[in-house]
Amino acid sequence: MVEFFPGIRQIKYEGPDSRNPLAFKHYNPGQKVLGKTMAEHLRFSVCYWHSFKGLGADPFGPGTIIREYNNSRDPMTVAELTMRAAFEFYTKLGVGFWCFHDRDIAPEAENLAETNRRLDEIVALAAKLQRDTGVRLLWGTSNLFSHRRFMAGAGTNPSPYVFAYAASQVKKAMEITKELGGAGYVFWGGREGYETLLNTDLKRELDNLATLLHLAVDYKKKIGFKGQFYIEPKPKEPTKHQYDSDAAACHAFLQKYDLVDHFKLNIEANHATLAGHSFHHELEYAAANGLLGSIDANRGDLLLGWDTDQFPTDLYDCTLAMYTLLRYGGFKTGGLNFDAKVRRQSIDPEDLFHAHIGGMDAFARGLTIAARLYKDGVLEKFVRNRYKAWDTPLGRKIASGRMSLPQLEALTLKQGEPKIASGRQEMLENILNEYIR
Ligand code: XUL
Ligand code: CO
């Protein structure tokens, strides 16, 4: 059988003292942390689009990366070889999951029927490779943003025929995700937004987007797809304003349209920072509202204002993400999907390994640091103490709205100036630094 990553053997855990760049220093899949293995906590997934279809193109030039599985002129041969290369990579890296868009795995044909036939052919191969390797599908999704028909959106398009096309694509992508045993299905609103309000009926677009999601919920029930639906927030790019701009905007949308029980959020680190939030904020907001489902792990660049989708290496980010996850009970259906791409100059197949190994080690360290923080309870104790007056009979009475404004006024007149306490931010930052080692 052809090897696409020759010379690279199974990536192993060698411990923190290893100097082998093609080994894990911290990710030890079977190691128990707070009662679960690292693999169970982290549920790593490789994304198909950046890792196997992305070849380093940017707005200033085409791809720089040449891959052997791309050599054939026949697009279906390329699709087949790419799928084989992907499973070789997943297996050598030792990840449990993968993710794809419909158009990543099979090229679009002249018409929808032929496109779907191509998908069926490739899905049969993916199903076989999943059985052979034990690698599972974290989530599937449909690409409703690359083709020119979607230039003005999919569910939010001014044309009902484009809406119908998008709906047909969602239908098929859900079917194949089910066939591959996917644990979830993502809706990222690729072009669900606007470039200018001068040509946009904002209310109609939001209503129609909700209709598309309701149709998907109905179809999910009909075909018995048990995976979790997610919405992935992103504030801009490609459009100037995307309707799913951040976790709070998605939450409001889902509540308004009575969809909130059917969806969770897939929080992406670089989307959070584009929205002017920290990754930690978006995770905490989602978790606090019962919406934290899955994570697209990556990072941006402080000096670049776009979605650079770099591999995660920041220990603070990874620690705080894992700290939120641990406090809220960890992943159920979701996982850590590397929605990240190697840089344009990282042209060798082994660069894909370095990138993923680094991301996995960073999150493994984040997990162990967060587990110590969580176990010791230092931050939690501080927070609990900071709000403890709300747990007194008076605090509870006020919080439950059983004291009117005049009663609160009477209380204040009697008590006089309230005592205030330090937030101790610097002390807490120092404590966090003590744990990050
Ligand atoms: C785009 C992005 C997508 C989604 C899936 O920024 O993150 O790849 O994750 O459509
Ligand atoms: Co993403």
Side-chain angles (χ1 to χ4, degrees):
M1 209 169 79
V2 198
E3 254 197 292
F4 295 96
F5 300 96
I8 296 183
R9 288 197 296 269
Q10 179 75 41
I11 306 299
K12 297 221 170 74
Y13 171 72
E14 293 185 1
D17 295 331
S18 166
R19 290 290 166 264
N20 175 5
L22 288 171
F24 296 116
K25 321 290 182 302
H26 303 277
Y27 179 58
N28 186 9
Q31 186 182 318
K32 286 261 172 87
V33 178
L34 300 176
K36 279 203 289 189
T37 66
M38 281 195 175
E40 287 163 344
H41 275 288
L42 297 164
R43 292 169 64 86
F44 287 125
S45 157
V46 171
C47 88
Y48 205 86
W49 51 103
H50 289 313
S51 290
F52 303 103
K53 302 306 287 179
L55 299 170
D58 74 6
F60 301 91
T64 50
I65 298 171
I66 298 164
R67 298 277 192 241
E68 220 162 288
Y69 49 79
N70 270 330
N71 279 344
S72 170
R73 275 163 196 264
D74 170 36
M76 283 304 281
T77 305
V78 169
E80 186 201 318
L81 295 181
T82 309
M83 188 61 75
R84 292 189 185 280
F87 274 83
E88 182 189 328
F89 181 78
Y90 307 151
T91 315
K92 286 183 168 172
L93 184 65
V95 285
F97 297 93
W98 67 300
C99 288
F100 70 89
H101 297 87
D102 46 5
R103 299 300 176 256
D104 306 333
I105 58 171
E108 203 157 339
E110 288 291 299
N111 55 58
L112 186 65
E114 176 57 15
T115 301
N116 287 348
R117 197 204 57 72
R118 285 180 167 186
L119 267 175
D120 289 337
E121 199 180 314
I122 292 298
V123 165
L125 173 64
K128 180 192 175 307
L129 293 168
Q130 287 194 157
R131 277 193 303 274
D132 292 351
T133 59
V135 175
R136 290 179 287 159
L137 180 64
L138 189 67
W139 48 263
T141 185
S142 43
N143 178 331
L144 306 177
F145 45 88
S146 293
H147 195 280
R148 64 193 292 275
R149 77 175 73 85
F150 297 125
M151 68 180 187
T156 60
N157 201 282
S159 158
Y161 295 102
V162 176
F163 180 101
Y165 207 109
S168 320
Q169 227 178 287
V170 168
K171 170 180 176 288
K172 181 69 180 173
M174 273 171 61
E175 289 165 2
I176 60 176
T177 299
K178 175 178 184 257
E179 203 176 323
L180 290 170
Y185 187 91
V186 163
F187 292 84
W188 169 56
R191 292 185 195 272
E192 313 291 28
Y194 60 80
E195 297 297 344
T196 171
L197 281 172
L198 297 179
N199 65 11
T200 301
D201 182 345
L202 185 140
K203 181 181 182 315
R204 190 194 292 269
E205 292 204 355
L206 284 165
D207 289 351
N208 287 349
L209 181 57
T211 298
L212 180 62
L213 297 182
H214 270 292
L215 294 175
V217 168
D218 292 347
Y219 194 64
K220 178 179 193 259
K221 277 189 210 136
K222 184 161 186 259
I223 62 173
F225 172 48
K226 298 277 182 288
Q228 174 67 51
F229 272 175
Y230 309 104
I231 292 203
E232 182 176 321
K234 184 174 183 181
K236 51 184 127 220
E237 252 204 348
T239 63
K240 177 169 82 171
H241 174 81
Q242 309 254 141
Y243 296 128
D244 305 333
S245 55
D246 65 1
C250 289
H251 189 204
F253 173 86
L254 291 171
Q255 289 182 102
K256 177 182 173 195
Y257 291 102
D258 204 16
L259 285 160
V260 77
D261 295 338
H262 304 287
F263 285 81
K264 297 217 182 294
L265 299 180
N266 180 38
I267 299 294
E268 178 162 328
N270 204 172
H271 295 180
T273 48
L274 282 176
H277 303 306
S278 64
F279 181 33
H280 190 203
H281 164 87
E282 285 293 83
L283 292 170
E284 193 72 23
Y285 180 90
N289 288 286
L291 289 172
L292 181 52
S294 202
I295 291 180
D296 269 6
N298 61 20
R299 72 183 156 93
D301 183 309
L302 278 182
L303 303 181
L304 299 173
W306 64 87
D307 196 8
T308 59
D309 284 333
Q310 287 165 246
F311 276 83
T313 52
D314 185 309
L315 288 186
Y316 283 90
D317 272 354
C318 296
T319 299
L320 293 173
M322 293 315 297
Y323 182 60
T324 295
L325 259 176
L326 287 179
R327 281 172 34 252
Y328 285 94
F331 289 123
K332 308 277 182 307
T333 52
L336 279 160
N337 172 49
F338 291 109
D339 193 350
K341 55 190 175 207
V342 292
R343 298 303 89 190
R344 202 161 186 268
Q345 296 178 55
S346 303
I347 56 174
D348 293 338
E350 78 166 63
D351 289 315
L352 263 186
F353 282 91
H354 295 307
H356 284 87
I357 289 168
M360 290 163 80
D361 266 346
F363 267 100
R365 284 176 82 177
L367 169 65
T368 50
I369 297 165
R372 281 192 282 120
L373 262 177
Y374 179 70
K375 211 163 125 217
D376 294 356
V378 266
L379 297 179
E380 280 193 298
K381 222 176 285 160
F382 183 89
V383 173
R384 218 176 309 125
N385 200 41
R386 189 165 182 233
Y387 294 87
K388 69 171 191 284
W390 287 104
D391 294 326
T392 61
L394 178 73
R396 284 209 194 94
K397 200 170 170 192
I398 296 175
S400 61
R402 281 177 291 126
M403 273 182 84
S404 66
L405 290 186
Q407 285 172 323
L408 289 167
E409 181 190 46
L411 174 75
T412 304
L413 288 171
K414 188 171 147 225
Q415 290 285 320
E417 192 57 33
K419 271 204 219 107
I420 54 171
S422 167
R424 292 271 187 274
Q425 181 170 337
E426 295 78 6
M427 180 191 84
L428 297 171
E429 286 168 349
N430 296 348
I431 291 175
L432 178 59
N433 263 5
E434 285 305 309
Y435 275 81
I436 298 198
R437 7 184 122 118

